[in-house]
């Protein structure tokens, strides 16, 4: 597979590169042995490529006119345990001149073309954020002139209440984003993805507000919205329709089982609102997560559309009231339903997150009191919790479906995920800059834990062969999303540090290390990995091509839909195709094959931290 891609890509090279290739004996075609961020690097940032199999210690950079502009020496070789690769590093951080380059290692070959430019991540941001438009459900989608064949008519128009929802008749709701490679829409995952994107807007709005996403004609109500907020609203509007009259929120809307690999408009299975099957039908995680996401939306949309913000806040507060009355209702797929479960037993983090976001939005004491009364377990170091997953014997002595993991706060090894939103709760509280009083002490603990964990993540990244923060345990289903969330954590540490005059450190070497490490996660995702693959579709010269994504397979176009991040290596293969991957080191447990959904699916919650990371790195 790799070899075929590699030859195909060489044939498609820009003319300038073909010309050098012809005249350059050491570098006939790009080699996957040189691994770097295929989009490129910011001028002032650290710039490294990882090399396997070099025969000399020299390397150089060549510009588009064929001139060698920089020469350097590769580092000593070292073994990267997670991939098994023997790696040398080519460090060209000192070269800061904007332009397009290839990196050459005599006797080994040259890299794909990459850029050094202050705008180098503009395109990546555009594609990864615009990918959400491509995931829209219930309307026509057309990616336009640049991607003219990427379109579909309105989909999933047939809606129903599943018997498990405790309601009959049919809802009149369309919208939202297809979750992933399937066409389901799941509140828990939608909320985390939406919140991550809204947080990106909250933190980096000045540089995002004017960015265009080439979305279709305006609906009257969003004429004044920045493109990013228009796209997010498409999903929020659907989420808000999953709230019942009593304030509770149903878990999901999907068919009862996954459809075949067909285009969305050809999936005629009814799109059903699915609940728990027994009273109260709605569940805690979906309801609290909606409360949190809608509370953030109330803040973000207020300057643009006060009426919409008020509606979001009203629904958030009603969801919160329901969740408080029903704090222990988990979700399991009811009989006859086999689509995504997003099941979670530990619900304290979802409640804490909703309280924190509502406090930050409203400043009502009741939310603060709930937060302060329930935050303590999240501030304890993980080792203080007696029942960690690892302490439980393997071998079927317990039921994973009912296992309640300990609450997780902020550490260097429990990044944010769809099932673990404790970090969002704590950060939201700390970001709300409590004025004075008892809450200050809590905020200080959150900030110092965040900074200490950022130090640990950055240090671990430096020691890793590919400079990625992932440990062996992190190579789970969606490991690329884990890498993205480590980067998000580094950027949150930076924000918390810079906004608090009383925080222990001022911006300096320590903060620079966090920014560099955040960039390192991006470099891993965009090609600096053992496969030399960019894990974002249609981004970079050697991007993966076969996501588990129904439209990308069913449309028979040569390339997949653009801007989608692969789930990435998974040391615990969870599908028949993935189980054909020969057992090996965790970072190598990946295949670019669409049937391998536990390794190569795409999902809205994995793209979101990548959009966040790119938003943080964009130059104003
Ligand atoms: O956290 C444990 C870890 O402690 C353990 O060592 C490891 C060993 O297997 O597993 C880890 O948990 C895994 C978890 O993902 C990590 O996030 C589970 O095994 C794994 O089964 C679980 O996978 C989830 C998958 O659905 C299957 O349920 C993914 O998180 C989740 O992103 C994915 O979501 C699907 C939706 O259901 C349907 N739509 C597509 C979407 C993406 O694939
Ligand atoms: O396509 C489905 C994907 O979105 C899910 O993440 C995955 C796990 O729930 O399931 C996929 O659907 C498969 C189903 O579970 C089993 N039969 C094959 C389906 C796809 O090829
Ligand atoms: Zn649809």
């Amino acid at each position: 597979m790799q070899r075929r891609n590699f030859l195909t890509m060489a044939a498609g090279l820009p003319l300038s590169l073909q010309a050098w290739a012809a005249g350059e004996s050491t570098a006939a075609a790009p080699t996957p042995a040189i691994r770097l961020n295929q989009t490129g690097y910011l001028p002032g940032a650290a710039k490294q490529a990882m090399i396997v199999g070099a025969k000399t210690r020299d390397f150089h950079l060549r510009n588009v006119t064929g001139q060698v502009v920089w020469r350097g020496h590769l580092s000593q070789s070292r073994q990267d345990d997670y991939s098994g690769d023997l790696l040398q590093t080519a460090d060209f951080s000192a070269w800061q001149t904007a332009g397009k380059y290839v990196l050459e290692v005599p006797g080994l070959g040259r890299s794909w073309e990459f850029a050094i430019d202050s705008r180098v991540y503009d395109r990546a941001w555009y594609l990864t954020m615009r990918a959400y438009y491509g995931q829209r459900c219930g309307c026509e989608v057309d990616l336009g002139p640049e991607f003219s064949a990427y379109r579909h008519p309105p989909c999933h128009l047939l809606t129903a209440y599943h018997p498990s929802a405790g309601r009959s008749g049919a809802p009149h709701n369309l919208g939202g984003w297809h979750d992933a490679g399937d066409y389901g829409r799941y509140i828990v995952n939608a909320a985390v993805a939406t919140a991550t994107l809204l947080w990106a807007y909250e933190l980096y709005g000045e540089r995002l507000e004017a960015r265009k996403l080439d979305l279709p004609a305006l609906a009257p109500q969003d004429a004044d919205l920045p493109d990013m907020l228009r796209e997010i609203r498409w999903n929020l509007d659907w989420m808000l329709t999953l709230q019942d009259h009593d304030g509770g929120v149903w878990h999901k809307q999907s068919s009862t089982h996954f459809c075949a690999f067909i285009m969305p408009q050809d999936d005629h299975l009814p799109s059903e609102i699915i609940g728990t099957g027994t009273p109260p039908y709605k569940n805690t995680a979906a309801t609290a997560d909606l409360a949190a996401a809608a509370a953030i939306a109330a803040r973000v949309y207020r300057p643009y559309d006060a009426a919409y913000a008020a509606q979001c806040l009203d629904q958030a507060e009603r969801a919160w009231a329901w969740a408080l009355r029903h704090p222990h209702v988990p979700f399991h797929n009811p009989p006859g339903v086999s689509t995504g479960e997003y099941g979670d037993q530990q619900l304290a983090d979802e409640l804490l997150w909703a309280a924190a976001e509502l406090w930050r939005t409203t400043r009502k004491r009741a939310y603060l009191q709930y937060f302060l009364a329930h935050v303590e377990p999240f501030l304890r170091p993980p080792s203080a919790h007696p029942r960690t997953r690892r302490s439980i014997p393997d071998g079927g002595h317990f039921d994973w479906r009912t296992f309640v993991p300990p609450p997780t706060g902020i550490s260097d090894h429990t990044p944010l995920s769809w099932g673990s939103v404790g970090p969002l709760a704590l950060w939201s509280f700390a970001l709300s800059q409590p004025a004075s009083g008892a809450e200050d002490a809590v905020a200080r603990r959150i900030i110092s834990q965040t900074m200490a964990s950022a130090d640990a993540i950055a240090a671990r990244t430096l020691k890793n062969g590919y400079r990625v923060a992932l440990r062996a345990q992190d190579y789970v289903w969606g490991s690329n999303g884990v890498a993205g969330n480590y980067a998000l954590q580094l950027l949150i540490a930076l924000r918390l540090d810079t906004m608090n005059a009383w925080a222990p450190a001022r911006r300096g070497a320590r903060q620079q290390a966090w920014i560099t490490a955040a960039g390192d996660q991006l470099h891993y995702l965009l090609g600096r990995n053992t496969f030399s693959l960019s894990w974002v579709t249609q981004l970079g010269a050697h991007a993966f091509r076969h996501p588990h994504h129904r439209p990308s397979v069913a449309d028979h176009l040569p390339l997949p839909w653009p801007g989608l991040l692969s789930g990435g290596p998974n040391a615990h293969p969870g599908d028949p195709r993935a189980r054909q991957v020969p057992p090996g080191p965790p970072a190598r447990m990946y295949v670019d094959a669409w049937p391998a959904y536990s390794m190569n699916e795409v999902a809205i919650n994995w793209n979101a931290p990548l959009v966040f990371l790119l938003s943080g790195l964009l130059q104003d």
Side-chain angles (χ1 to χ4, degrees):
M1 174 282 299
Q2 278 231 25
R3 177 128 193 102
R4 205 192 55 219
N5 276 354
F6 152 74
L7 292 173
T8 319
M9 296 312 301
L13 277 178
L15 279 178
S16 56
L17 281 186
Q18 288 182 11
W20 305 334
E24 174 59 60
S25 58
T26 59
T31 170
I34 301 175
R35 291 147 193 191
L36 43 64
N37 182 331
Q38 292 164 21
T39 65
Y41 301 84
L42 294 166
K47 305 172 200 72
Q48 285 102 11
M50 309 313 171
I51 319 285
V52 285
K55 289 172 194 72
T56 68
R57 285 203 60 198
D58 298 323
F59 79 94
H60 52 258
L61 291 184
R62 199 182 281 277
N63 69 14
V64 275
T65 67
Q67 262 181 312
V68 172
V69 295
W70 171 264
R71 290 181 192 278
H73 293 296
L74 302 178
S75 71
Q76 297 293 332
S77 300
R78 67 174 174 176
Q79 185 79 22
D80 174 56
D81 290 338
Y82 298 144
S83 63
D85 293 339
L86 190 63
L87 295 171
Q88 286 174 280
T89 303
D91 192 326
F92 50 101
S93 304
W95 183 253
Q96 305 202 351
T97 307
K100 292 201 170 153
Y101 303 95
V102 292
L103 190 156
E104 296 179 350
V105 179
L108 186 68
R110 65 176 164 81
S111 72
W112 287 278
E113 186 183 270
F114 64 94
I116 295 176
D117 200 300
S118 60
R119 314 210 57 154
V120 67
Y121 303 133
D122 284 13
R123 174 77 174 163
W125 187 89
Y126 174 83
L127 288 183
T128 53
M129 184 60 219
R130 194 166 188 249
Y132 288 93
Y133 168 50
Q135 293 294 100
R136 280 195 195 185
C137 183
C139 65
E140 187 191 0
V141 168
D142 184 345
L143 295 192
E146 193 191 349
F147 300 101
S148 59
Y150 297 84
R151 51 186 149 82
H152 69 72
C155 55
H156 303 107
L157 304 176
L158 184 60
T159 59
Y161 286 105
H162 186 263
S164 61
R167 176 69 69 85
S168 56
H172 296 287
N173 76 331
L174 300 174
W177 295 319
H178 298 141
D179 181 58
D182 65 322
Y183 298 134
R185 289 162 289 157
Y186 311 92
I187 288 291
V188 160
N189 205 44
V192 171
T194 301
T196 302
L197 296 172
L198 287 172
W199 272 40
Y201 196 85
E202 257 192 322
L203 263 64
Y204 308 112
E206 343 70 67
R207 64 177 82 141
L208 300 179
E209 190 171 30
R211 281 181 195 260
K212 294 290 170 222
L213 291 169
D214 299 319
L215 300 173
L218 295 168
Q221 79 274 12
D222 63 13
D224 297 328
L225 283 178
D227 276 7
M228 184 176 180
L229 295 187
R230 282 168 59 195
E231 190 48 49
I232 296 171
R233 181 169 173 169
W234 181 264
N235 196 47
L236 268 171
D237 281 346
W238 165 78
M239 289 175 64
L240 294 171
T241 69
L242 257 65
Q243 184 170 45
D244 199 1
H245 305 304
D246 63 358
V249 178
W250 286 288
H251 192 70
K252 62 175 170 179
Q253 185 163 16
S254 72
S255 44
T256 54
H257 56 279
F258 292 117
C259 70
F261 263 62
I262 52 180
M263 289 300 284
Q265 70 275 16
D266 298 328
D267 174 18
H268 300 300
L269 297 171
S271 189
E272 306 188 42
I273 291 186
I274 294 172
T276 60
T278 52
Y281 302 108
K282 285 79 62 181
N283 59 304
T284 310
T287 306
D289 281 357
L290 178 120
I296 306 169
R299 295 196 297 271
V300 174
Y301 286 85
R302 196 178 284 151
Y304 304 100
D305 184 341
Y308 185 61
Q311 182 204 334
C312 289
L313 183 56
D314 173 62
Q315 292 199 230
E317 294 205 87
R318 289 191 295 113
W320 167 256
W322 191 97
L324 259 192
R325 295 197 301 276
H326 305 91
H328 302 297
V329 186
F331 179 84
H332 296 296
N333 267 336
V337 174
S338 56
T339 48
E341 188 163 64
Y342 289 117
D344 185 4
Q345 303 296 314
Q346 173 55 270
L347 302 169
D349 52 330
E350 281 77 10
L351 290 163
L352 194 76
W353 181 34
E357 297 292 4
L358 280 161
W359 158 241
R360 189 170 164 197
T361 304
T362 66
R363 297 282 147 174
K364 289 185 186 166
R365 303 295 296 178
Y367 300 122
L368 175 63
Q369 278 155 8
Y370 181 95
F371 184 89
L372 292 175
H374 294 84
V375 70
E376 193 54 36
F378 292 86
L379 295 171
R380 271 181 231 143
S383 55
H385 293 285
R387 291 173 66 213
T388 64
R389 278 177 190 224
R390 234 170 304 162
S391 71
I392 293 175
D394 261 325
H397 299 300
F398 70 99
D399 182 357
W400 281 108
R401 283 169 45 103
T402 55
F403 172 64
V404 184
T408 49
I410 293 153
S411 75
D412 65 316
H413 56 269
T414 55
L416 159 69
S417 70
W418 62 260
S420 186
V421 296
L424 286 175
L426 302 181
W427 291 328
S428 184
F429 182 77
L431 286 165
S432 74
Q433 284 178 290
S436 63
E439 57 265 34
D440 267 11
V442 172
R444 277 173 210 244
R445 284 169 75 189
I446 293 169
I447 292 169
S448 66
Q449 288 179 3
T450 303
M451 303 210 313
S453 65
D455 289 341
I457 292 167
R460 188 164 83 220
T461 297
L462 269 186
K463 279 200 224 134
N464 179 285
Y466 285 102
R467 299 208 182 184
V468 65
L470 299 175
R471 308 156 309 148
Q473 301 92 303
D474 292 321
Y475 286 95
V476 292
W477 191 315
S479 65
N480 282 344
V482 177
N485 275 313
Y486 278 131
L488 177 149
Q489 186 163 343
L490 291 160
L491 294 175
I492 297 279
L494 187 68
R495 176 56 61 105
L496 285 173
D497 183 33
T498 43
M499 70 182 244
N500 286 283
W502 44 264
R506 306 304 331 131
R507 196 166 179 149
R510 185 185 193 192
Q511 290 68 26
Q512 195 50 53
W514 300 341
I515 300 172
T516 299
D520 283 331
Q521 314 310 312
L522 181 70
H523 306 329
Y524 169 82
L525 294 175
L526 298 186
R528 203 174 68 186
N529 53 61
T530 185
F531 301 98
S532 228
L533 274 183
S534 163
W535 270 311
V536 175
T537 51
Q538 298 208 38
L539 183 68
H542 191 230
F544 85 112
R545 304 185 54 154
H546 305 290
H548 186 89
H549 180 244
R550 280 168 173 72
S552 293
V553 176
D555 66 8
H556 298 295
L557 295 171
L559 292 175
W561 285 54
L564 297 163
L565 178 68
S566 168
N570 182 358
H572 314 275
D575 65 79
R577 178 63 187 87
R579 283 189 277 271
Q580 291 173 24
V581 174
R588 287 204 63 84
M589 300 301 290
Y590 170 78
V591 61
D592 182 14
W594 69 261
Y597 50 79
S598 64
M599 293 176 174
N600 211 29
E601 193 163 0
V602 301
I604 57 173
N605 64 313
W606 304 331
N607 256 59
L610 178 55
V611 171
F612 187 102
L613 165 58
L614 289 163
S615 301
L617 297 181
L618 291 174
Q619 307 291 294
D620 297 306

